[in-house]
Amino acid sequence: MWFTAVDYIIFALLLILSSAIGLYYALSGGKQRTTQEFLLANRNMGFLPVTLSLLATFQSAVAILGVPSEIYRSGTEYWFLGCSYILGLLIPACVFVPVFYRLRLTSTYEYLELRFSKKVRICGTITFIFQMVIYMGVVLYAPALAFSAVTGFSLWGVVLTMGLVCTLYTTLGGLKAVIWTDVIQTLVMFAGQLAVIIVGTAKVGGIQDVWAIAVNNSMISGINFNPDPFVRHSIWSLGIGGIFLMLSLYGVNQAQVQRYLSSRTEKEAVMSCYAVFPCQQLVLGLGCLTGLVMFAYYQKNEIQNPEMIKVPDQMVLYFVMDILQDFPGLPGLFVACLFSGALSTISSAFNSLATVTMEDLIKPHFPNLTESRATLISKGLALKYGLLCLGMAYISSLMGPVLQAALSIFGIVGGPLLGIFCLGFFFPFTNSIGAITGLLAGLIMAFWIGIGSFVDRMSVPTAAPILNVTSAPEGGNLTVVTTLLTSAAAAQSISGLKKFYSLSYMWYSAHNSTTVVIVGIIVSLLTGQCPLTLPPPLDHHWACSQES
């Protein structure tokens, strides 16, 4: 299971091309001399590159490794998450995107100051920074760990190479470089997944055989109508809980909103949101199909080195190296696919973190900052966040099993942030006291359940990854952004706080955002409604801006 020279060349080409795009945008056009160009690509991007960038931003290596692993272990029930994409993308396109675009924002959290107060804006910004700093280290480390374990590559060599390349093109080329590298990386992701599906299906004997094996082993799941929120997956948790997850990602997350704001027109921004829907369905379908092909293949073939697969997400890379070892270049293509997912997510994190830090934490305190100075500081922030990412990857390596908890933090924090924006958009009588109190209550509740669930699971011995099996027992929950990285712990009869901690991870965003809204409404009513005003240029939108 080692790379050939062709594999090395294909993998290296991805890194070289990404760096070249950053260098090109650093030396062409406006040469990234203004914050508008560096942070928002001069608001001049077309809907197609924006669409592919939106898709790539959270289609990370975690999803490329995790979705097939989940299907391999538990069947196709996760596929029903696609039901949530309809409203999960329709609502942002109709509600959030037009408002953000017409306000001509740079940071999403500027809205919170217009609607509530400067204190609410700062609270939102700090929460987002905390969320992304932890997540980007994990996104860098997790695929590097899996890749190193299966192929024998130097772990820290891979981490360092990825981190530096990503930091280079993000710092040099700004958002334009990030978006256009996302486009290239998205195409590489599709190519890599298709190569694995085509070769794997051929080795099984055809798509009919893949489907027959899946059906005979009860891997094709029916619709589970169980309304119990503690059931790991059901049509309700995936279809409804998934809507809140999608809203937190595509409605109010700075990394995504920044892409909407870079569009030439409001119409193109909205179109890009609509266009993500079929792309997301395709990505989910490819991930699920990869899982089914992997399951069918290992029903027909014995796993030669099971000791190499220590955690579920290593299963996919093992499968890839197993079936593609006779096809020089294809293992390199899939590894490029895997790291494309990581690079697109990390570069988006760098750029969005630099944006909110500049717009929300630096500019308000230095109003006379010159444009050239602000641009230079923004580039310095992107560079520093890149180096911080490497540090977070190192910390993730020391955390061991807590690596999964770090992934959970991303999902935990997204819900309260969604809740505070919902307060502003849909409840005109709420005030800044209610918003801050609601956010704090949502975060406390989120971390209570998330950390409690993690600690509770860590007290139970975890099983080894499921290999040649016909069905998988239901495992415990893990709160991750888009995928499952779970152990195969047997279901147990639990009650009390343990039952509370077993809330399905798909309900986390819904539960936490609802907590923010309910607490925010109650506190606002107790402390007095805010005076109703209408901010230009949105005469249809509520505002309650108070002195901070």
Side-chain angles (χ1 to χ4, degrees):
M1 289 193 180
W2 303 104
F3 264 25
T4 65
V6 179
D7 296 312
Y8 279 111
I9 291 170
I10 290 176
F11 183 46
L13 280 176
L14 171 72
L15 300 180
I16 293 170
L17 184 58
S18 297
S19 301
I21 291 173
L23 191 61
Y24 171 78
Y25 283 109
L27 300 175
S28 65
K31 300 183 179 180
Q32 310 300 318
R33 288 175 177 162
T34 67
T35 52
Q36 281 291 298
E37 184 175 13
F38 185 75
L39 301 176
L40 289 173
N42 273 340
R43 301 185 191 265
N44 196 35
M45 298 301 297
F47 93 94
L48 183 58
V50 170
T51 297
L52 294 178
S53 184
L54 286 168
L55 178 68
T57 296
F58 289 112
Q59 180 56 22
S60 70
V62 175
I64 294 170
L65 293 173
V67 173
S69 175
E70 164 63 17
I71 300 301
Y72 177 85
R73 294 161 62 80
S74 304
T76 59
E77 194 166 29
Y78 186 75
W79 212 325
F80 289 109
L81 180 65
C83 298
S84 69
Y85 293 169
I86 302 172
L87 286 178
L89 291 165
L90 183 65
I91 293 173
C94 296
V95 179
F96 294 113
V97 175
V99 170
F100 290 144
Y101 195 90
R102 292 173 199 174
L103 284 172
R104 305 292 290 177
L105 305 178
T106 299
S107 163
T108 316
Y109 305 100
E110 291 176 66
Y111 168 82
L112 295 179
E113 181 174 357
L114 294 172
R115 173 59 179 84
F116 295 112
S117 69
K118 186 175 289 185
K119 290 178 182 177
V120 179
R121 175 181 180 177
I122 292 173
C123 287
T125 299
I126 292 173
T127 303
F128 173 76
I129 291 174
F130 174 74
Q131 173 191 37
M132 295 301 287
V133 163
I134 292 179
Y135 184 63
M136 67 183 183
V138 174
V139 168
L140 178 60
Y141 179 73
L145 176 64
F147 179 65
S148 174
V150 175
T151 64
F153 271 33
S154 166
L155 170 62
W156 292 107
V158 175
V159 168
L160 193 62
T161 301
M162 282 180 58
L164 291 179
V165 167
C166 197
T167 302
L168 175 68
Y169 74 74
T170 305
T171 304
L172 289 177
L175 187 61
K176 271 189 181 178
V178 171
I179 289 177
W180 282 111
T181 49
D182 282 353
V183 171
I184 301 298
Q185 289 156 7
T186 301
L187 299 176
V188 172
M189 280 190 275
F190 280 132
Q193 288 179 300
L194 284 172
V196 171
I197 291 170
I198 291 169
V199 174
T201 301
K203 291 204 170 190
V204 171
I207 193 66
Q208 298 90 343
D209 286 8
V210 170
W211 189 259
I213 292 171
V215 171
N216 292 338
N217 288 278
S218 303
M219 296 298 288
I220 307 300
S221 306
I223 301 176
N224 181 3
F225 287 103
N226 189 344
D228 186 353
F230 300 102
V231 171
R232 182 163 167 263
H233 281 163
S234 69
I235 190 64
W236 311 113
S237 64
L238 291 166
I240 298 176
I243 291 174
F244 287 85
L245 181 63
M246 295 299 291
L247 289 176
S248 67
L249 292 176
Y250 286 93
V252 299
N253 187 283
Q254 171 67 27
Q256 302 292 58
V257 173
Q258 204 167 327
R259 278 144 184 76
Y260 302 136
L261 298 176
S262 71
S263 300
R264 283 188 291 254
T265 64
E266 180 186 331
K267 181 180 179 181
E268 289 193 87
V270 172
M271 282 176 61
S272 66
C273 193
Y274 285 135
V276 170
F277 172 71
C279 295
Q280 280 283 18
Q281 294 288 2
L282 178 60
V283 165
L284 180 62
L286 289 175
C288 292
L289 192 54
T290 302
L292 290 179
V293 171
M294 183 165 64
F295 180 85
Y297 180 81
Y298 285 122
Q299 289 297 305
K300 285 191 168 187
N301 300 275
E302 185 180 352
I303 294 179
Q304 298 299 319
N305 304 101
E307 70 280 357
M308 295 181 67
I309 308 169
K310 297 180 176 61
V311 293
D313 47 308
Q314 290 177 347
M315 186 70 204
V316 179
L317 261 177
Y318 180 93
F319 170 64
V320 169
M321 301 300 288
D322 194 1
I323 66 169
L324 298 183
Q325 57 186 329
D326 298 327
F327 299 87
L330 289 187
L333 179 62
F334 184 81
V335 169
C337 157
L338 176 65
F339 283 96
S340 289
L343 288 171
S344 60
T345 302
I346 298 165
S347 62
S348 299
F350 292 169
N351 195 266
S352 60
L353 284 167
T355 301
V356 297
T357 304
M358 170 55 66
E359 296 295 324
D360 299 332
L361 302 181
I362 295 177
K363 274 191 175 180
H365 298 287
F366 300 94
N368 298 322
L369 201 63
T370 64
E371 187 65 29
S372 58
R373 183 71 172 168
T375 305
L376 184 62
I377 293 174
S378 297
K379 292 180 179 180
L381 287 169
L383 175 62
K384 289 177 181 177
Y385 277 122
L387 298 177
L388 180 60
C389 175
L390 294 174
M392 285 305 302
Y394 177 71
I395 292 173
S396 296
S397 72
L398 301 177
M399 292 165 70
V402 184
L403 183 66
Q404 296 178 346
L407 280 172
S408 301
I409 289 174
F410 190 90
I412 289 170
V413 178
L417 282 176
L418 172 63
I420 200 170
F421 278 97
C422 287
L423 272 180
F425 271 79
F426 305 119
F427 302 95
F429 53 84
T430 53
N431 57 33
S432 64
I433 299 175
I436 292 175
T437 308
L439 178 62
L440 291 176
L443 288 171
I444 291 170
M445 183 65 74
F447 280 101
W448 179 23
I449 297 176
I451 295 175
S453 175
F454 174 75
V455 171
D456 183 55
R457 279 193 310 277
M458 292 305 297
S459 64
V460 180
T462 56
I466 301 172
L467 301 178
N468 290 73
V469 295
T470 56
S471 62
E474 182 172 329
N477 297 318
L478 279 184
T479 312
V480 296
V481 184
T482 56
T483 64
L484 293 303
L485 300 174
T486 61
S487 63
Q492 301 178 6
S493 177
I494 53 177
S495 59
L497 272 181
K498 286 183 178 291
K499 182 74 171 177
F500 184 58
Y501 292 151
S502 68
L503 178 70
S504 170
Y505 77 99
M506 286 304 302
W507 287 114
Y508 271 55
S509 286
H511 176 271
N512 299 335
S513 59
T514 302
T515 299
V516 174
V517 170
I518 292 174
V519 172
I521 289 174
I522 293 173
V523 172
S524 294
L525 291 175
L526 291 176
T527 57
Q529 298 181 12
C530 64
L532 188 62
T533 58
L534 297 173
L538 299 178
D539 56 0
H540 67 280
H541 190 66
W542 304 113
C544 176
S545 184
Q546 302 173 351
E547 291 296 325
S548 57

